[in-house]
Every structure is written in C-alpha cells, then in structure tokens.
Amino acid sequence: MSERERVRELVRGARRIVVFSGAGMSAESGVPTFRDAQTGLWAKFRPEELATEPAFRANPSMVWDWYVSRREAVARVAPNAGHLAIADFQRRHPGRLTVATQNVDGLHQRAGSPGVLALHGNLADDKWLDVPCERCDLAVEAGRPPRCAHCGNLLRPAVVWFGEALPARVLAEAESAARACDLMLVVGTSGAVYPAAGLARMARGQVVVVNPQASDLDDAADVVLRDTAARSLPYLLED
Ligand code: OAD
C-alpha cells in the first residue's frame, strides 16, 4: 500500500479528524507563504518587522497599507481544490472534521467550511488598537488607518501579531479538538510558530504531515506525505 493509500485508509477509519493548516494550504490559490520571499513594495521588509504592535504604533500608515495590499491580494484569489475537498468532506460528514488554521486569508471559510478555528484571526476584520472610548464606533473617520474622530484611537487589523496572545477561546477549542481526534492532517505549515504548532504535538491520534518540503513537525508525524495541499486532499478525503 502506498503512503497516500495508507492515509486514505486512516481518514476512512477516523471518527474525529482535525485539519491543522498553514500558509502552504493557500499557496496554490496564489497567496504567498510567510517564509517565501515577499514581493514588490514589501520585499525589503520581513513580516516580523511589520506584523507587530510596536511597528504599527511607529508607522501606522505603512503597516495599514501593507494589510490593505494583502486584503486586496486575497480578494483576487479563490479557494483551491484542497480547501474545497475539506469543505465537501464536512458537508458529507457533518461534525466529523474540524479545521484549525493559522491562516488569516478566509479561504477555508469561503470554501464553505463551517466553524473554522482561526487561530491567528481574520485579515478581513478590524478592531480598535486601544480600549475604545464611548464614541469610537460612532465616529470612525476614514484614513490610513481609519481613526476615532473623538479620541484619535486607531483601527488595526484583527489578526494576531508577533508577541500577542492567540484568542483564548479559539485556542482552547483547537486544543480540545486535537486531544480528542483520531487523526490530524497537518497541511502546509512550517511548524515554526508556537503556540499554534503545539497542536500537532497534542494530537491524540495519528498525525499526517502534508508538505512538499521538510517541516519542523515531521518528527511528530506518523506519516509524511511529500505532496501539495491541492493535489493530495481531494484524493485523501474522497469517499
Ligand atoms: P510558513 O510560510 O512558515 O510555511 C509554509 C509551509 O507551507 C512550508 O513548510 C512550505 O513547505 C509549505 N508549502 C508550500 N507550498 C505548499 C503547498 N502547495 N501545499 C502544502 N504545503 C505547502 O507558514 P505557516 O507555517 O503558516 O503567524 O506560518 C505560521 C505562522 O507564522 C503564520 O500564521 C504567521 C506567520 O508569521 C502570524 O501572523 C501570527
């Protein structure tokens, strides 16, 4: 039996499956991964230098513009065959598969996956940088970034920046799904960023890594498939 067939058998036998995804999940949709070189205007910055609260406070327009460019890039692309295969499986098998993703691009949600656990937030959402005043939500003034006309508070993207905590409820749900699963598919993540990467080490059941390159989670895997998300998932999740 090939490794692919072995994983397909694991899927068929698993009552509770977790897909734990990272940027490689969206690579075949045309979203660059984090550890790929940045392109264009942003090529001279590392995400770690832009995706922090101190960076935003020091240069809010530049960081805001970077997020606007990422929002625009994500709006131009579509879920790929991997996202769609996961959502199809969830439709055919309600309650059997949970998606916990590090991605902020919303592509699992756009593919139709219900209840996605967005560990690092959502690129499409904003939140207030500082505790809002009583007028913040009523007095939003357009700008880069938009601000409260009353107190000057700034809107920021509702994503988890370096040095920030993950949303506690989402992380707790992902951890309990990991501890309860029979099978975890770890798709398209370098496994370099904690606490998210720790989910793969908490999985109760079998762990399968799907990644065309070596990752930091290969040692936690029972099976490693050197393949891409869009090529492998439709086969693995077929009935
Ligand atoms: P990375 O950019 O670190 O890793 C992407 C992984 O995807 C690499 O291991 C690639 O080999 C793999 N890959 C590339 N193409 C693929 C494909 N077509 N199919 C499957 N795998 C493929 O991205 P993440 O692991 O998601 O955090 O990064 C983790 C976190 O670090 C991100 O959520 C973000 C980042 O900085 C925050 O913003 C808090």
Side-chain angles (χ1 to χ4, degrees):
M1 197 189 283
S2 71
E3 296 285 82
R4 264 159 58 96
E5 287 166 51
R6 190 173 150 211
V7 176
R8 193 144 89 146
E9 288 309 306
L10 290 175
V11 169
R12 289 184 173 157
R15 282 187 307 119
R16 293 181 190 190
I17 301 171
V18 172
V19 170
F20 170 47
S21 65
M25 179 81 229
S26 300
E28 288 151 296
S29 292
V31 182
T33 65
F34 281 93
R35 281 148 191 91
D36 280 345
Q38 300 235 63
T39 51
L41 198 53
W42 311 107
K44 53 186 188 299
F45 300 103
R46 292 189 301 130
E48 293 85 343
E49 293 169 51
L50 294 166
T52 70
E53 187 182 316
F56 184 76
R57 287 189 188 276
N59 204 336
S61 329
M62 184 184 76
V63 174
W64 181 261
D65 287 352
W66 182 55
Y67 278 96
V68 168
S69 83
R70 288 179 56 197
R71 282 176 180 169
E72 288 171 354
V74 161
R76 283 193 295 268
V77 303
N80 64 50
H83 298 105
L84 295 171
I86 293 166
D88 280 347
F89 184 92
Q90 290 175 297
R91 261 190 294 277
R92 298 195 308 275
H93 303 279
R96 200 165 143 208
L97 188 154
T98 302
V99 176
T101 188
Q102 298 167 89
N103 299 342
V104 296
D105 56 31
L107 290 175
H108 281 297
Q109 294 88 335
R110 281 169 58 193
S113 280
V116 174
L117 299 171
L119 296 157
H120 292 163
N122 291 295
L123 193 55
D125 300 337
D126 292 327
K127 64 181 185 184
W128 292 107
L129 178 61
D130 293 308
V131 178
C133 78
E134 71 288 355
R135 308 255 286 274
C136 274
D137 288 329
L138 304 170
V140 184
E141 190 176 89
R144 303 174 25 237
R147 62 176 60 232
C148 170
H150 184 63
C151 72
N153 201 357
L154 300 178
L155 278 178
R156 55 158 281 186
V159 299
V160 175
W161 280 335
F162 288 94
E164 293 183 333
L166 275 57
R169 187 195 56 80
V170 174
L171 181 61
E173 276 188 48
E175 287 175 352
S176 62
R179 292 202 175 97
C181 75
D182 309 306
L183 175 65
M184 180 181 284
L185 303 176
V186 178
V187 184
T189 179
S190 59
V193 176
Y194 282 78
L199 289 175
R201 303 193 183 276
M202 274 174 210
R204 186 183 66 126
Q206 303 271 302
V207 174
V208 175
V209 162
V210 178
N211 196 316
Q213 310 279 336
S215 84
D216 292 356
L217 292 173
D218 291 356
D219 67 308
D222 298 285
V223 186
V224 176
L225 288 185
R226 285 278 170 254
D227 203 351
T228 72
R231 267 201 315 250
S232 62
L233 289 169
Y235 174 81
L236 300 177
L237 297 175
E238 199 174 64
D239 281 341

